[in-house]
Amino acid sequence: MRTGGEGWTKWVLLGTLALIWGSSFILMKKGLFHAGSPVLSPWQLASARLAIAWLVLSPLLLRHGALLRKHWLPLLGTGVLGNGIPAFLFATAQTRIDSALSGMLNSLTPLFTLLVGALFFGTRLRTGHVLGILFGLVGAAGLILWNSAPGGVRWSPYALLPILGTVCYGCSANIVKRHLYALPAAATACLALSFVGPFGLLGMEATGIRDTLATTPHAWSALGYTALLATLSSALSLVLWNALLKRTSAVWASSVTYLMPVVAIGWGLYFGETVSAPQFAMIGVVLAGIWLVNRAERTT
């Protein structure tokens, strides 16, 4: 039986993750642009994010490194799918779409967590699950099509990138829940990042980030935002996320995306981004889908 303290812990973890991850989209935008002018490239930002997050957690390897040999395959999977690929997808998307829209699309994570679980991990689907997935996909299509300008409709292929990122997150959540459940949360985080962090260092060198820092105005401040993004949204949040997964189901844990769009939209509006009424309606459709999925989870 779950104790009252344990129940409060999962809600505290959920709220903290929502605040951190909901703020990550505006941090990416700050790393990519200064006053509308490009600073770091998306590949530079993503590479630096992975490298810095790995370096922050690397001291934990002294304690947990021995677990790598036994669990290397699922750790590789969650490292690549939960950190590596999404870092580049979201950074590239933010060069063409608003951070608020990225945050809204990221709310599809619970739906793809369920769908991936049903397709590859034996998760049982109920009618509520199917309806929730359909609602989420309709809402995502609306978010992609509607421009932030009032009444505007515009196809943006870059909005597909965050959706692909949520598919990766869904795969990673199922891998952690199924194969890495017994590992300490900090061990899963540092070992998973050990597969992608070194490639981040190579990526920083390959993309010429040192020249960018030496020649591009505001590059150092952009790198500072990237370091904050890496430390909070990749390193610390990964430990918290794995701790949450140990206390609840993968789909329930993914409901952190109920709250993330609120944080992301708030930061976007604060920094001058616009969100249209149709976009608010579509995020409502997505959240209705997530609610249906979580309702079905509670009755399973």
Side-chain angles (χ1 to χ4, degrees):
M1 177 179 289
R2 195 176 301 277
T3 65
E6 186 75 2
W8 275 108
T9 299
K10 72 177 186 178
W11 284 105
V12 171
L13 289 170
L14 191 77
T16 304
L17 281 169
L19 183 60
I20 293 174
W21 277 340
S23 302
S24 65
F25 306 100
I26 199 66
L27 288 174
M28 276 187 271
K29 188 70 78 174
K30 289 291 187 179
L32 293 167
F33 299 97
H34 179 83
S37 299
V39 185
L40 299 180
S41 73
W43 283 72
Q44 287 174 331
L45 183 143
S47 296
R49 177 181 184 178
L50 294 174
I52 295 171
W54 175 55
L55 292 174
V56 168
L57 292 182
S58 58
L60 295 175
L61 292 173
L62 297 174
R63 180 176 182 180
H64 301 296
L67 296 170
L68 189 60
R69 177 176 296 182
K70 182 178 179 181
H71 303 282
W72 72 270
L73 187 56
L75 286 167
L76 170 63
T78 192
V80 172
L81 295 170
N83 296 277
I85 295 175
F88 291 93
L89 292 174
F90 278 97
T92 303
Q94 296 254 137
T95 62
R96 299 296 183 90
I97 65 175
D98 287 343
S99 59
L101 178 56
S102 284
M104 288 187 278
L105 291 171
N106 196 69
S107 63
L108 291 167
T109 299
L111 306 185
F112 283 115
T113 299
L114 174 64
L115 191 57
V116 169
L119 291 175
F120 302 107
F121 293 88
T123 301
R124 180 185 174 190
L125 283 182
R126 300 170 65 91
T127 302
H129 291 141
V130 176
L131 289 174
I133 291 171
L134 292 176
F135 267 71
L137 294 177
V138 169
L143 286 171
I144 292 173
L145 289 174
W146 254 290
N147 185 12
S148 59
V153 177
R154 183 181 65 189
W155 162 250
S156 176
Y158 281 84
L160 290 174
L161 299 181
I163 296 178
L164 293 176
T166 63
V167 175
C168 291
Y169 288 149
C171 295
S172 176
N174 279 285
I175 290 171
V176 172
K177 191 64 181 177
R178 179 63 62 89
H179 299 291
L180 300 171
Y181 184 82
L183 268 63
T188 302
C190 70
L191 294 174
L193 279 170
S194 295
F195 284 100
V196 294
F199 288 98
L201 290 173
L202 293 174
M204 292 174 68
E205 187 64 27
T207 56
I209 196 169
R210 286 189 294 180
D211 291 337
T212 300
L213 292 173
T215 60
T216 303
H218 309 292
W220 279 104
S221 63
L223 184 61
Y225 284 115
T226 303
L228 188 60
L229 172 72
T231 302
L232 295 178
S233 299
S234 294
L236 175 61
S237 64
L238 189 56
V239 176
L240 298 178
W241 168 247
N242 291 325
L244 182 61
L245 281 174
K246 289 173 70 68
R247 288 167 169 81
T248 185
S249 73
V251 173
W252 194 95
S254 298
S255 64
V256 63
T257 50
Y258 268 125
L259 305 174
M260 285 170 56
V262 178
V263 179
I265 291 170
W267 280 117
L269 293 174
Y270 179 79
F271 284 103
E273 297 179 355
T274 57
V275 181
S276 66
Q279 284 182 313
F280 273 117
M282 289 301 103
I283 190 58
V285 173
V286 171
L287 295 179
I290 299 172
W291 179 83
L292 286 170
V293 165
N294 279 275
R295 185 173 184 272
E297 278 288 295
R298 289 194 296 271
T299 59
T300 300

